[in-house]
Amino acid sequence: MDWYDRKTDNIQRMKSQGKEAEDLFFDVMKMLKKPIKKASLQNDKYKHIDFYIGSTGYDVKHRQDVNYVWLEYRNNHGGKGWLRGEAKWIVMYYEQIRSFYFYKRQELLEYSKQYKKTTTQKKHYHWRTRTQFGRNDLVLLVRKKDINHLTQHQITITNV
């Protein structure tokens, strides 16, 4: 298997995990009797909104590693990343602890502004540009424990 096949497999795995987190979020909100509806493909792509509960937008993210979180300022195609989207809430599903953490998108954006340096290297606490293989994103890797104070709600799944 060459690098391109591994890259393609990783992308497919990440898409599948993201879809599973979204499906689980939808099911949990239905069980909680929330008026949830799936956003249009247009809203998902350009506004970074996966769901609406009432008129409030939610963007659901999957994290396999409970220790670190990527904050996306610019996406792979050079457009607005989800930090600059229109969702009010970013919901991270941390698979290791089977929990949804709810953050206000605007608070994550404000938090990220304290980091000024940019690098192309894999370093924590720096904005990282990834331009290899046609990528044009700008992301920030932070420790989850450093954004715990921004957590507004948490839902733990005890029986899946």
Side-chain angles (χ1 to χ4, degrees), residues 26-113:
F26 184 85
D27 292 344
V28 167
M29 293 300 109
K30 280 291 194 188
M31 285 190 295
L32 294 173
K33 308 242 186 278
K34 300 292 182 183
I36 188 169
K37 67 177 182 171
K38 181 78 175 126
S40 69
L41 186 57
Q42 185 101 353
N43 283 349
D44 189 359
K45 187 173 182 180
Y46 297 108
K47 293 183 178 183
H48 299 282
I49 296 174
D50 293 320
F51 298 100
Y52 287 97
I53 297 177
S55 61
T56 304
Y58 291 74
D59 192 8
V60 179
K61 305 293 177 197
H62 175 273
R63 292 294 310 141
Q64 194 157 355
D65 185 349
V66 72
N67 297 307
Y68 294 98
V69 177
W70 287 105
L71 304 179
E72 181 188 70
Y73 189 79
R74 186 174 63 220
N75 68 21
N76 293 344
H77 308 291
K80 284 191 315 187
W82 57 260
L83 273 179
R84 298 187 298 154
E86 295 181 30
K88 179 173 182 176
W89 294 98
I90 301 299
V91 182
M92 300 272 183
Y93 178 66
Y94 295 98
E95 185 177 328
Q96 286 179 331
I97 57 174
R98 295 173 27 177
S99 292
F100 288 103
Y101 280 65
F102 292 70
Y103 305 94
K104 289 185 177 175
R105 181 195 52 79
Q106 189 63 40
E107 288 181 0
L108 288 173
L109 177 61
E110 292 303 316
Y111 172 83
S112 72
K113 288 180 179 178

Side-chain angles (χ1 to χ4, degrees), residues 70 119-128 139-141:
W70 287 105
T119 183
T120 56
Q121 303 299 311
K122 288 185 178 181
K123 294 190 181 209
H124 305 304
Y125 312 114
H126 286 82
W127 286 103
R128 178 176 170 208
V139 293
L140 177 67
L141 183 62

